[in-house]
Amino acid sequence: MRCDHCDNGERRPVRRAQVAEKDGRTALVLGVPVEVCDACGQVWLSMETAKRLDAMFTRMLASDLEVATRHFDTEQPRAA
């Protein structure tokens, strides 16, 4: 699929780490499925991935850990 941002590259599926910080705590989720433009580097998340990632970050940042790390594929989605 052509890049919506630069119109020069192709969007390619890859897995990347995503980081969130709040109140001195850091959450790192590894292996998040995203699409990246091979020309400009713009990154896209699907709505399902974004919602799941947000829920993971919320739980991780609410813990007492200063740094929390999870892998996206090992965390089971929660039923709504």
Side-chain angles (χ1 to χ4, degrees):
M1 176 185 279
R2 206 80 182 141
C3 176
D4 301 336
H5 186 72
C6 73
D7 200 35
N8 291 317
E10 295 292 323
R11 291 167 58 165
R12 308 266 187 227
V14 296
R15 291 193 173 256
R16 293 267 174 96
Q18 299 291 317
V19 178
E21 296 177 274
K22 182 179 179 184
D23 299 329
R25 292 186 173 90
T26 302
L28 172 66
V29 178
L30 304 169
V32 178
V34 299
E35 289 185 336
V36 177
C37 174
D38 57 11
C40 71
Q42 180 72 26
V43 178
W44 290 267
L45 293 149
S46 71
M47 184 59 71
E48 179 182 327
T49 298
K51 287 179 181 179
R52 188 169 159 197
L53 186 61
D54 183 58
M56 290 175 73
F57 280 147
T58 298
R59 286 191 303 276
M60 293 165 73
L61 292 170
S63 75
D64 290 335
L65 298 173
E66 188 174 325
V67 178
T69 304
R70 303 278 185 279
H71 197 281
F72 190 80
D73 287 339
T74 60
E75 184 88 6
Q76 296 298 318
R78 294 192 177 197

